Every structure is written in structure tokens, then in C-alpha cells.
């Protein structure tokens, strides 16, 4: 039976303090439901508003590329320095300890290998499996101007519909075909289309000319892919310029895991992304960490 003798009466109702309703920190994301915002807050650090996603999903179309031969040895030691791991469900189940608390962005599209037409993708993971694996977001390739443009756009819109049902955001990854011009005009088109059709955030490439116009007219956050391996200073400059021009983070793979010192490199990238460190200072950090 409930003990009624010792119940203390609540006295302070703080009637003079209005309850605050805070705005959500992420661009264009204020109208989402609680679960969606909470998942996005596990990808983007609410303190800086930015993310360092470590991308190692490349095997889903190109097999064990350089640096990804052994995920357990090459990648798992980097996880403590990443906000988010972007990977396939096969690697998640086989190689990633469930005790790691990084948020997971699940590669959810696939089909063709590098031997075939890459734009011929389909949705390759059910929404149930993404939920089962505790994904914070699902990633889908979108080939604007590619041979299977509409198919890939509709893959994205289907994932957006499925994910919205359960509060899981969709990351649209703009994929550039071999013959396409990688310039701001193209990326304005590709990123804006993805956002208009429902993507919760968009991954694209940095361009030297006019990247700020790409971020400014995309109504949701943009993260940049690293692309091919560059000298460390150049990769840090690219990340720095992208952040200064409005990117909300990086989704970087080869420039981290193919670096001579991946653990030092990911920490240098973090300094640029989360602390606005300059590329030269971040390189100093890289050099200090790699020799310590
Ligand atoms: C593959 C991807 C990769 O995750 C992406 O390309 C990021 O890796 P990198 O920095 O090596 O380019 O989306 O399609």
C-alpha cells in the first residue's frame, strides 16, 4: 500500500519562469520529430554543430580497397576519434564491436560493382534491418545526370518515406559520373534536388570555385566527401575551406585511412572541423601526434 503519511507537498511551481522551447541547432531541421532530431544530434555534435564521419563503405562496390583490407585492424582503432561510422551492414555485424557507441550511418543502397554501370543501384537494406542495427541515418547514392538518374532519385525518396515513418534521417550521397563536370553549378543542382525531395542531409564534393554558393542554397546540412588521397596538408585545407564556406562536416575515408598515420590524421581533421583550427596548425598537430 502507498505510504501516504510522509508525502511532501510540492511547493515551487516556478510560475514566474516560462518554460523555454529551444530551437534545434541544425540547419533546416527544426520541424522534424524528436527521434529524428535526437539521431541527428548523435551524428552532428550539438556543441560545434559539425560532424566528423569516418567513411569506410567503399567495399560495397569496389571490394577491399587500399586501407580497408582489414577493418578490425585498420579502422576499429580510429573509431574513438570519429563522431559517426559510415559503413555497410555486413562490416557492422562482422567487424564492429557492439560496445562502440559511435552513431552509425548505414549504407542502404547498392547493386553494381566497379565492373558495371554504377548508377544502376537499388535500395539494398530494409528499414527493419536499419532499425535493428540502431542506425542513426541511412545513406543512399544519387546519380544526378547519370544513366539511372530517376531510379537513384526514387531510391532516395523511398528511403526518406521509410525512414520518416520511424524517425531515421536519410543522407543523400551525390555521386558524380566519370564524364560529368564537378563544379559549383552541378553541385548546386544535385544537392538542392536531394534536399527538395526530402533528404535530411547531403554529401557532396568540395569545389574550389563557389562552394559557398552550394552550401548557401541547400536548405539542409552539407558534408563533404574526402575523395582521392591527397597530401595531408591539402586534405586539411580542403576540410578547412569547406567548413569556413558553410559545410557542416566531413564524411572522409581515404584521406584518413590511407594516411601514413591515420589516428593522427583523424585528430587533425577533428581540430579543423570542430575547433576551426587552421590547416597549418592542424598539420602541426598531425606531425606531433604521429611521432609521439
Ligand atoms: C562511396 C562513398 C564514400 O563513403 C565516400 O566516397 C567517402 O569516402 P572518401 O573520402 O574516400 O571519398 O560514399 O560511394
Amino acid at each position: 500500500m502507498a505510504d501516504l503519511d510522509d508525502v511532501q507537498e510540492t511547493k515551487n511551481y516556478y510560475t514566474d519562469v516560462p518554460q523555454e522551447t529551444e530551437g534545434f541547432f541544425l540547419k533546416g531541421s527544426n520541424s522534424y520529430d524528436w527521434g529524428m532530431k535526437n539521431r541527428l544530434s548523435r551524428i552532428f555534435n550539438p556543441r560545434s554543430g559539425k560532424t566528423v564521419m569516418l567513411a569506410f563503405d567503399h567495399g560495397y562496390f569496389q571490394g577491399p580497397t587500399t586501407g580497408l583490407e582489414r577493418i578490425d585492424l585498420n579502422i576499429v582503432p580510429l573509431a574513438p576519434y570519429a563522431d559517426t561510422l559510415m559503413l555497410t551492414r555486413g562490416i557492422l555485424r562482422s567487424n564492429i564491436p557492439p560496445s562502440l557507441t559511435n552513431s552509425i550511418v548505414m549504407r542502404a543502397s547498392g547493386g553494381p560493382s566497379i565492373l558495371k554501370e554504377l548508377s544502376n543501384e537499388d535500395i539494398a537494406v530494409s528499414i527493419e534491418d536499419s532499425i535493428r542495427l540502431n542506425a542513426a541515418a541511412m545513406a543512399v547514392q544519387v546519380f544526378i545526370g547519370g544513366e539511372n538518374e530517376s531510379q537513384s532519385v526514387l531510391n532516395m525518396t523511398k528511403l526518406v518515406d521509410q525512414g520518416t515513418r520511424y524517425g531515421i534521417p536519410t543522407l543523400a550521397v551525390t555521386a558524380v559520373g566519370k564524364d560529368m563536370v564537378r563544379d559549383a553549378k552541378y553541385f548546386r543542382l544535385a544537392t538542392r534536388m536531394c534536399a527538395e525531395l526530402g533528404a535530411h542531409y547531403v554529401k557532396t564534393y568540395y569545389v574550389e570555385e563557389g562552394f559557398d554558393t552550394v552550401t548557401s542554397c541547400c536548405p539542409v546540412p552539407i558534408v563533404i566527401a574526402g575523395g582521392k588521397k591527397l597530401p595531408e596538408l591539402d586534405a586539411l585545407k580542403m576540410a578547412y575551406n569547406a567548413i569556413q564556406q558553410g559545410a557542416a562536416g566531413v564524411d572522409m575515408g581515404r584521406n584518413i585511412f590511407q594516411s601514413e598515420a591515420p589516428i593522427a590524421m583523424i585528430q587533425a581533421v577533428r581540430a579543423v572541423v570542430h575547433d576551426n583550427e587552421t590547416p597549418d596548425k592542424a598539420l602541426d598537430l598531425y606531425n606531433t601526434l604521429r611521432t609521439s
Side-chain angles (χ1 to χ4, degrees), residues 131-272:
I131 295 168
R132 192 176 295 121
L133 289 166
N134 201 22
M138 302 176 290
V140 54
Q141 220 74 353
V142 180
F143 297 84
I144 302 300
E147 203 168 310
N148 298 285
E149 177 187 79
S150 297
Q151 178 183 321
S152 70
V153 169
L154 293 175
N155 288 339
M156 183 197 80
T157 57
K158 282 178 199 146
L159 268 190
V160 168
D161 286 335
Q162 292 168 12
T164 301
R165 213 171 292 144
Y166 300 102
I168 303 184
T170 295
L171 165 63
V173 179
T174 60
V176 188
K178 279 184 232 109
D179 310 324
M180 273 177 240
V181 189
R182 288 185 182 207
D183 61 10
K185 187 175 177 193
Y186 173 79
F187 287 122
R188 282 195 301 268
L189 169 72
T191 57
R192 181 64 176 259
M193 276 185 70
C194 291
E196 296 254 0
L197 290 166
H200 300 93
Y201 72 112
V202 184
K203 170 167 155 179
T204 188
Y205 290 89
Y206 177 72
V207 286
E208 293 288 342
E209 292 288 315
F211 184 75
D212 55 348
T213 66
V214 180
T215 58
S216 93
C217 63
C218 181
V220 295
I222 283 186
V223 295
I224 61 152
K228 285 193 183 131
K229 172 77 177 73
L230 302 167
E232 274 72 9
L233 181 59
D234 291 349
L236 292 167
K237 277 185 185 160
M238 177 175 65
Y240 179 81
N241 290 337
I243 295 293
Q244 299 307 313
Q245 291 174 48
V250 299
D251 186 16
M252 200 174 259
R254 287 163 287 179
N255 276 294
I256 293 173
F257 62 70
Q258 291 178 354
S259 166
E260 276 175 41
I263 291 183
M265 185 59 181
I266 192 169
Q267 290 180 84
V269 171
R270 280 194 79 78
V272 165

